[in-house]
Structures are given as structure tokens and as C-alpha cells.
Amino acid sequence: MALTNVELYEALKGSIPEEAARMIAEVVPPARDLATKLDIAEVKREVTELRAEMHLSATRTIQWILGVTVPLFVGTWGSVVAVLLKG
């Protein structure tokens, strides 16, 4: 069973100065606010999944950008060259 801040303070008070025990008890979060190994593993799994999704999305975005901008770029410069050669 996890200790509450008051129980932690009482347990520490006997072995360290009272002021230090109070400061430690105030800083240590309650056990319900701490992440478990299972929580961390779940977050790691979710991050891995999101990375894979973002990688696929980025690949598709790059392909789309290249598919649109390269022909536009070539067409623009082709037009410029044609105008310069005609004039």
C-alpha cells in the first residue's frame, strides 16, 4: 500500500530532521499520480504507432509536393526559355 504524504512525513521524521521530512513529504507526489511501468509501456507503444503513421504521411506529402511542383517548375522555366528564344 502506498504511503500518503502524512504517513511519509511521520515515517521520515524519526530518522531525519523534522523540517527535511516535511519538505520531502510535500515534494513527493501521491502514488495515484505516479506512472506505472504498464503506463510507460503503453505510451511507448502509442508513440511508436504515431511515428509510423507520421512517416507514411510525410512520405505521401513529399510525393504529392514533388508531383505538383516539379512539373510546375519545369513548365515555368520552359515558358521562360521559350519567350527568351522567341524574342
Short mmCIF file of all heavy atoms in Angstrom, two decimals, residues 34-85:
data_model
loop_
_atom_site.label_atom_id
_atom_site.label_comp_id
_atom_site.label_asym_id
_atom_site.label_seq_id
_atom_site.Cartn_x
_atom_site.Cartn_y
_atom_site.Cartn_z
N LEU A 34 1.53 8.80 -9.90
CA LEU A 34 2.75 8.27 -10.49
C LEU A 34 2.42 7.28 -11.60
O LEU A 34 1.46 6.54 -11.52
CB LEU A 34 3.60 7.59 -9.42
CG LEU A 34 4.07 8.48 -8.27
CD1 LEU A 34 4.80 7.66 -7.23
CD2 LEU A 34 4.97 9.59 -8.79
N ALA A 35 3.24 7.27 -12.63
CA ALA A 35 3.04 6.34 -13.74
C ALA A 35 3.62 4.97 -13.38
O ALA A 35 4.65 4.87 -12.74
CB ALA A 35 3.73 6.86 -14.99
N THR A 36 2.93 3.93 -13.83
CA THR A 36 3.43 2.57 -13.62
C THR A 36 4.22 2.15 -14.86
O THR A 36 4.20 2.82 -15.89
CB THR A 36 2.26 1.59 -13.41
OG1 THR A 36 1.49 1.55 -14.62
CG2 THR A 36 1.39 1.99 -12.24
N LYS A 37 4.90 1.03 -14.75
CA LYS A 37 5.64 0.50 -15.91
C LYS A 37 4.68 0.20 -17.06
O LYS A 37 5.03 0.39 -18.22
CB LYS A 37 6.42 -0.75 -15.51
CG LYS A 37 7.61 -0.45 -14.64
CD LYS A 37 8.39 -1.72 -14.32
CE LYS A 37 9.58 -1.39 -13.44
NZ LYS A 37 10.37 -2.57 -13.12
N LEU A 38 3.49 -0.26 -16.73
CA LEU A 38 2.50 -0.53 -17.78
C LEU A 38 2.06 0.76 -18.48
O LEU A 38 1.88 0.78 -19.70
CB LEU A 38 1.28 -1.24 -17.19
CG LEU A 38 1.52 -2.68 -16.70
CD1 LEU A 38 0.26 -3.22 -16.03
CD2 LEU A 38 1.92 -3.56 -17.87
N ASP A 39 1.91 1.85 -17.71
CA ASP A 39 1.56 3.14 -18.31
C ASP A 39 2.65 3.59 -19.28
O ASP A 39 2.35 4.04 -20.38
CB ASP A 39 1.38 4.21 -17.22
CG ASP A 39 0.21 3.95 -16.30
OD1 ASP A 39 -0.74 3.27 -16.73
OD2 ASP A 39 0.24 4.44 -15.16
N ILE A 40 3.89 3.45 -18.87
CA ILE A 40 5.01 3.87 -19.70
C ILE A 40 5.10 3.01 -20.95
O ILE A 40 5.33 3.51 -22.05
CB ILE A 40 6.32 3.84 -18.89
CG1 ILE A 40 6.25 4.90 -17.79
CG2 ILE A 40 7.53 4.06 -19.79
CD1 ILE A 40 7.35 4.82 -16.78
N ALA A 41 4.89 1.71 -20.81
CA ALA A 41 4.92 0.80 -21.96
C ALA A 41 3.81 1.16 -22.95
O ALA A 41 4.03 1.14 -24.17
CB ALA A 41 4.79 -0.64 -21.51
N GLU A 42 2.65 1.50 -22.45
CA GLU A 42 1.52 1.89 -23.31
C GLU A 42 1.85 3.17 -24.07
O GLU A 42 1.59 3.28 -25.28
CB GLU A 42 0.26 2.09 -22.46
CG GLU A 42 -0.95 2.56 -23.23
CD GLU A 42 -1.50 1.52 -24.18
OE1 GLU A 42 -1.19 0.33 -24.05
OE2 GLU A 42 -2.25 1.91 -25.10
N VAL A 43 2.43 4.15 -23.40
CA VAL A 43 2.80 5.40 -24.05
C VAL A 43 3.87 5.15 -25.12
O VAL A 43 3.79 5.70 -26.22
CB VAL A 43 3.29 6.44 -23.02
CG1 VAL A 43 3.91 7.65 -23.70
CG2 VAL A 43 2.13 6.88 -22.13
N LYS A 44 4.84 4.30 -24.81
CA LYS A 44 5.87 3.97 -25.80
C LYS A 44 5.26 3.32 -27.04
O LYS A 44 5.63 3.64 -28.17
CB LYS A 44 6.92 3.01 -25.20
CG LYS A 44 7.93 3.67 -24.33
CD LYS A 44 8.95 2.64 -23.88
CE LYS A 44 10.06 3.26 -23.10
NZ LYS A 44 11.06 2.26 -22.66
N ARG A 45 4.31 2.42 -26.83
CA ARG A 45 3.65 1.76 -27.95
C ARG A 45 2.89 2.78 -28.80
O ARG A 45 2.96 2.77 -30.03
CB ARG A 45 2.70 0.67 -27.44
CG ARG A 45 2.04 -0.16 -28.56
CD ARG A 45 0.96 -1.08 -28.03
NE ARG A 45 -0.14 -0.39 -27.37
CZ ARG A 45 -1.08 0.32 -28.01
NH1 ARG A 45 -1.05 0.44 -29.31
NH2 ARG A 45 -2.05 0.90 -27.34
N GLU A 46 2.17 3.68 -28.15
CA GLU A 46 1.42 4.71 -28.87
C GLU A 46 2.35 5.63 -29.65
O GLU A 46 2.05 6.00 -30.79
CB GLU A 46 0.56 5.52 -27.90
CG GLU A 46 -0.61 4.75 -27.33
CD GLU A 46 -1.38 5.53 -26.29
OE1 GLU A 46 -1.08 6.72 -26.08
OE2 GLU A 46 -2.28 4.94 -25.67
N VAL A 47 3.47 6.00 -29.06
CA VAL A 47 4.44 6.87 -29.75
C VAL A 47 4.99 6.16 -30.96
O VAL A 47 5.15 6.75 -32.04
CB VAL A 47 5.56 7.30 -28.78
CG1 VAL A 47 6.72 7.93 -29.53
CG2 VAL A 47 5.02 8.27 -27.74
N THR A 48 5.29 4.87 -30.83
CA THR A 48 5.81 4.10 -31.96
C THR A 48 4.79 4.05 -33.09
O THR A 48 5.14 4.22 -34.26
CB THR A 48 6.18 2.67 -31.51
OG1 THR A 48 7.14 2.76 -30.45
CG2 THR A 48 6.75 1.85 -32.64
N GLU A 49 3.53 3.82 -32.76
CA GLU A 49 2.47 3.80 -33.77
C GLU A 49 2.33 5.16 -34.46
O GLU A 49 2.20 5.23 -35.69
CB GLU A 49 1.13 3.41 -33.14
CG GLU A 49 1.04 1.96 -32.74
CD GLU A 49 -0.27 1.64 -32.02
OE1 GLU A 49 -1.12 2.55 -31.90
OE2 GLU A 49 -0.42 0.49 -31.58
N LEU A 50 2.36 6.23 -33.68
CA LEU A 50 2.23 7.57 -34.25
C LEU A 50 3.41 7.90 -35.15
O LEU A 50 3.23 8.54 -36.20
CB LEU A 50 2.11 8.62 -33.14
CG LEU A 50 0.77 8.64 -32.41
CD1 LEU A 50 0.83 9.58 -31.22
CD2 LEU A 50 -0.34 9.04 -33.35
N ARG A 51 4.61 7.47 -34.77
CA ARG A 51 5.78 7.70 -35.62
C ARG A 51 5.61 7.02 -36.97
O ARG A 51 5.95 7.60 -38.00
CB ARG A 51 7.03 7.15 -34.94
CG ARG A 51 7.77 8.15 -34.18
CD ARG A 51 9.14 7.65 -33.81
NE ARG A 51 9.66 8.53 -32.80
CZ ARG A 51 10.41 8.16 -31.81
NH1 ARG A 51 10.77 6.92 -31.67
NH2 ARG A 51 10.83 9.04 -30.93
N ALA A 52 5.12 5.78 -36.94
CA ALA A 52 4.92 5.05 -38.19
C ALA A 52 3.88 5.76 -39.07
O ALA A 52 4.08 5.90 -40.28
CB ALA A 52 4.49 3.61 -37.90
N GLU A 53 2.79 6.21 -38.46
CA GLU A 53 1.76 6.94 -39.20
C GLU A 53 2.31 8.24 -39.78
O GLU A 53 2.03 8.58 -40.93
CB GLU A 53 0.57 7.26 -38.30
CG GLU A 53 -0.29 6.07 -37.95
CD GLU A 53 -1.41 6.44 -37.00
OE1 GLU A 53 -1.83 7.63 -36.99
OE2 GLU A 53 -1.85 5.56 -36.26
N MET A 54 3.10 8.96 -38.99
CA MET A 54 3.65 10.23 -39.46
C MET A 54 4.65 10.00 -40.59
O MET A 54 4.72 10.80 -41.52
CB MET A 54 4.31 10.97 -38.30
CG MET A 54 3.33 11.54 -37.31
SD MET A 54 4.10 12.34 -35.93
CE MET A 54 4.92 13.69 -36.71
N HIS A 55 5.41 8.92 -40.51
CA HIS A 55 6.37 8.62 -41.56
C HIS A 55 5.63 8.37 -42.88
O HIS A 55 6.02 8.90 -43.92
CB HIS A 55 7.23 7.41 -41.19
CG HIS A 55 8.22 7.04 -42.24
ND1 HIS A 55 9.33 7.82 -42.49
CD2 HIS A 55 8.28 6.01 -43.10
CE1 HIS A 55 10.02 7.28 -43.47
NE2 HIS A 55 9.40 6.17 -43.86
N LEU A 56 4.56 7.59 -42.81
CA LEU A 56 3.77 7.33 -44.03
C LEU A 56 3.14 8.61 -44.55
O LEU A 56 3.14 8.87 -45.76
CB LEU A 56 2.68 6.30 -43.74
CG LEU A 56 3.14 4.87 -43.51
CD1 LEU A 56 1.97 4.00 -43.09
CD2 LEU A 56 3.78 4.32 -44.76
N SER A 57 2.63 9.42 -43.65
CA SER A 57 2.00 10.67 -44.06
C SER A 57 3.03 11.62 -44.68
O SER A 57 2.74 12.26 -45.69
CB SER A 57 1.35 11.33 -42.84
OG SER A 57 0.80 12.57 -43.20
N ALA A 58 4.20 11.68 -44.10
CA ALA A 58 5.25 12.55 -44.63
C ALA A 58 5.68 12.08 -46.01
O ALA A 58 5.91 12.89 -46.92
CB ALA A 58 6.44 12.60 -43.68
N THR A 59 5.78 10.76 -46.19
CA THR A 59 6.17 10.21 -47.48
C THR A 59 5.14 10.58 -48.54
O THR A 59 5.49 11.01 -49.64
CB THR A 59 6.32 8.69 -47.39
OG1 THR A 59 7.29 8.38 -46.40
CG2 THR A 59 6.75 8.09 -48.70
N ARG A 60 3.86 10.42 -48.20
CA ARG A 60 2.80 10.78 -49.15
C ARG A 60 2.81 12.27 -49.47
O ARG A 60 2.62 12.68 -50.61
CB ARG A 60 1.43 10.38 -48.59
CG ARG A 60 1.13 8.92 -48.81
CD ARG A 60 -0.30 8.58 -48.44
NE ARG A 60 -0.20 7.69 -47.29
CZ ARG A 60 -0.81 7.87 -46.13
NH1 ARG A 60 -1.61 8.89 -45.95
NH2 ARG A 60 -0.66 7.03 -45.15
N THR A 61 3.05 13.09 -48.47
CA THR A 61 3.09 14.54 -48.67
C THR A 61 4.24 14.92 -49.59
O THR A 61 4.07 15.74 -50.50
CB THR A 61 3.23 15.26 -47.32
OG1 THR A 61 2.12 14.90 -46.49
CG2 THR A 61 3.26 16.77 -47.50
N ILE A 62 5.40 14.35 -49.36
CA ILE A 62 6.55 14.64 -50.22
C ILE A 62 6.28 14.21 -51.64
O ILE A 62 6.60 14.94 -52.60
CB ILE A 62 7.83 13.97 -49.65
CG1 ILE A 62 8.23 14.67 -48.36
CG2 ILE A 62 8.97 14.01 -50.66
CD1 ILE A 62 9.31 13.96 -47.58
N GLN A 63 5.69 13.05 -51.82
CA GLN A 63 5.37 12.58 -53.17
C GLN A 63 4.39 13.54 -53.85
O GLN A 63 4.53 13.86 -55.03
CB GLN A 63 4.76 11.17 -53.12
CG GLN A 63 5.77 10.11 -52.77
CD GLN A 63 5.10 8.75 -52.53
OE1 GLN A 63 3.89 8.66 -52.38
NE2 GLN A 63 5.91 7.70 -52.48
N TRP A 64 3.40 13.99 -53.13
CA TRP A 64 2.41 14.90 -53.69
C TRP A 64 3.07 16.23 -54.07
O TRP A 64 2.83 16.77 -55.15
CB TRP A 64 1.29 15.14 -52.68
CG TRP A 64 0.18 15.97 -53.23
CD1 TRP A 64 -0.87 15.56 -53.97
CD2 TRP A 64 0.04 17.40 -53.10
NE1 TRP A 64 -1.67 16.63 -54.30
CE2 TRP A 64 -1.13 17.77 -53.77
CE3 TRP A 64 0.79 18.37 -52.45
CZ2 TRP A 64 -1.56 19.08 -53.84
CZ3 TRP A 64 0.36 19.68 -52.52
CH2 TRP A 64 -0.81 20.02 -53.21
N ILE A 65 3.91 16.76 -53.18
CA ILE A 65 4.58 18.03 -53.46
C ILE A 65 5.46 17.91 -54.69
O ILE A 65 5.45 18.78 -55.57
CB ILE A 65 5.39 18.49 -52.23
CG1 ILE A 65 4.44 18.97 -51.13
CG2 ILE A 65 6.37 19.60 -52.60
CD1 ILE A 65 5.12 19.27 -49.81
N LEU A 66 6.23 16.83 -54.77
CA LEU A 66 7.08 16.63 -55.94
C LEU A 66 6.26 16.46 -57.20
O LEU A 66 6.62 16.97 -58.26
CB LEU A 66 8.01 15.44 -55.73
CG LEU A 66 9.13 15.63 -54.70
CD1 LEU A 66 9.89 14.33 -54.51
CD2 LEU A 66 10.06 16.75 -55.12
N GLY A 67 5.15 15.75 -57.09
CA GLY A 67 4.29 15.52 -58.25
C GLY A 67 3.66 16.79 -58.78
O GLY A 67 3.37 16.92 -59.96
N VAL A 68 3.45 17.77 -57.91
CA VAL A 68 2.82 19.02 -58.32
C VAL A 68 3.88 20.07 -58.67
O VAL A 68 3.78 20.75 -59.70
CB VAL A 68 1.89 19.56 -57.21
CG1 VAL A 68 1.43 20.98 -57.51
CG2 VAL A 68 0.70 18.65 -57.03
N THR A 69 4.89 20.23 -57.84
CA THR A 69 5.82 21.34 -58.03
C THR A 69 6.85 21.10 -59.13
O THR A 69 7.24 22.05 -59.80
CB THR A 69 6.56 21.68 -56.73
OG1 THR A 69 7.24 20.52 -56.26
CG2 THR A 69 5.60 22.16 -55.66
N VAL A 70 7.30 19.87 -59.31
CA VAL A 70 8.30 19.62 -60.35
C VAL A 70 7.73 19.94 -61.74
O VAL A 70 8.37 20.69 -62.50
CB VAL A 70 8.86 18.18 -60.27
CG1 VAL A 70 9.69 17.83 -61.49
CG2 VAL A 70 9.69 18.02 -59.00
N PRO A 71 6.57 19.42 -62.11
CA PRO A 71 6.03 19.81 -63.43
C PRO A 71 5.76 21.32 -63.53
O PRO A 71 5.99 21.92 -64.59
CB PRO A 71 4.72 19.03 -63.54
CG PRO A 71 4.88 17.89 -62.61
CD PRO A 71 5.74 18.39 -61.49
N LEU A 72 5.30 21.93 -62.45
CA LEU A 72 5.06 23.37 -62.46
C LEU A 72 6.37 24.13 -62.67
O LEU A 72 6.44 25.07 -63.46
CB LEU A 72 4.41 23.79 -61.14
CG LEU A 72 4.04 25.25 -60.97
CD1 LEU A 72 2.98 25.64 -62.00
CD2 LEU A 72 3.55 25.51 -59.57
N PHE A 73 7.42 23.71 -61.97
CA PHE A 73 8.73 24.32 -62.09
C PHE A 73 9.27 24.17 -63.52
O PHE A 73 9.74 25.13 -64.13
CB PHE A 73 9.68 23.67 -61.08
CG PHE A 73 11.06 24.24 -61.06
CD1 PHE A 73 11.32 25.44 -60.45
CD2 PHE A 73 12.11 23.56 -61.67
CE1 PHE A 73 12.61 25.97 -60.43
CE2 PHE A 73 13.39 24.08 -61.66
CZ PHE A 73 13.64 25.28 -61.04
N VAL A 74 9.19 22.96 -64.06
CA VAL A 74 9.67 22.70 -65.41
C VAL A 74 8.87 23.50 -66.43
O VAL A 74 9.44 24.10 -67.37
CB VAL A 74 9.61 21.18 -65.73
CG1 VAL A 74 9.89 20.91 -67.20
CG2 VAL A 74 10.60 20.43 -64.85
N GLY A 75 7.56 23.56 -66.25
CA GLY A 75 6.72 24.32 -67.18
C GLY A 75 7.02 25.80 -67.13
O GLY A 75 7.07 26.48 -68.17
N THR A 76 7.23 26.33 -65.94
CA THR A 76 7.53 27.75 -65.80
C THR A 76 8.85 28.09 -66.49
O THR A 76 8.93 29.05 -67.26
CB THR A 76 7.60 28.14 -64.31
OG1 THR A 76 6.35 27.83 -63.70
CG2 THR A 76 7.91 29.61 -64.14
N TRP A 77 9.87 27.31 -66.22
CA TRP A 77 11.17 27.58 -66.84
C TRP A 77 11.14 27.30 -68.35
O TRP A 77 11.82 27.98 -69.11
CB TRP A 77 12.28 26.81 -66.15
CG TRP A 77 12.65 27.49 -64.87
CD1 TRP A 77 12.33 27.11 -63.62
CD2 TRP A 77 13.37 28.72 -64.74
NE1 TRP A 77 12.80 28.02 -62.71
CE2 TRP A 77 13.44 29.02 -63.38
CE3 TRP A 77 13.93 29.61 -65.66
CZ2 TRP A 77 14.07 30.17 -62.89
CZ3 TRP A 77 14.57 30.75 -65.17
CH2 TRP A 77 14.63 31.03 -63.80
N GLY A 78 10.37 26.33 -68.73
CA GLY A 78 10.20 26.08 -70.16
C GLY A 78 9.59 27.28 -70.86
O GLY A 78 9.99 27.66 -71.97
N SER A 79 8.58 27.89 -70.21
CA SER A 79 7.95 29.09 -70.77
C SER A 79 8.92 30.25 -70.84
O SER A 79 8.96 30.99 -71.82
CB SER A 79 6.74 29.48 -69.92
OG SER A 79 5.77 28.47 -69.94
N VAL A 80 9.71 30.41 -69.78
CA VAL A 80 10.69 31.49 -69.77
C VAL A 80 11.71 31.31 -70.88
O VAL A 80 12.04 32.24 -71.62
CB VAL A 80 11.41 31.57 -68.38
CG1 VAL A 80 12.61 32.50 -68.44
CG2 VAL A 80 10.42 32.01 -67.32
N VAL A 81 12.21 30.11 -71.06
CA VAL A 81 13.19 29.82 -72.12
C VAL A 81 12.56 30.04 -73.49
O VAL A 81 13.19 30.63 -74.39
CB VAL A 81 13.73 28.37 -71.98
CG1 VAL A 81 14.53 27.97 -73.20
CG2 VAL A 81 14.58 28.25 -70.71
N ALA A 82 11.31 29.61 -73.66
CA ALA A 82 10.63 29.80 -74.95
C ALA A 82 10.46 31.27 -75.27
O ALA A 82 10.67 31.70 -76.43
CB ALA A 82 9.27 29.10 -74.93
N VAL A 83 10.10 32.07 -74.31
CA VAL A 83 9.93 33.52 -74.53
C VAL A 83 11.28 34.14 -74.86
O VAL A 83 11.40 34.98 -75.76
CB VAL A 83 9.30 34.19 -73.28
CG1 VAL A 83 9.42 35.71 -73.36
CG2 VAL A 83 7.86 33.76 -73.12
N LEU A 84 12.35 33.73 -74.16
CA LEU A 84 13.67 34.29 -74.43
C LEU A 84 14.19 33.91 -75.80
O LEU A 84 14.82 34.71 -76.49
CB LEU A 84 14.67 33.84 -73.35
CG LEU A 84 14.45 34.45 -71.96
CD1 LEU A 84 15.40 33.84 -70.96
CD2 LEU A 84 14.59 35.96 -71.98
N LEU A 85 13.92 32.68 -76.24
CA LEU A 85 14.38 32.24 -77.55
C LEU A 85 13.60 32.89 -78.68
O LEU A 85 14.13 33.14 -79.76
CB LEU A 85 14.28 30.71 -77.66
CG LEU A 85 15.27 29.93 -76.80
CD1 LEU A 85 15.01 28.43 -76.95
CD2 LEU A 85 16.72 30.25 -77.20
#
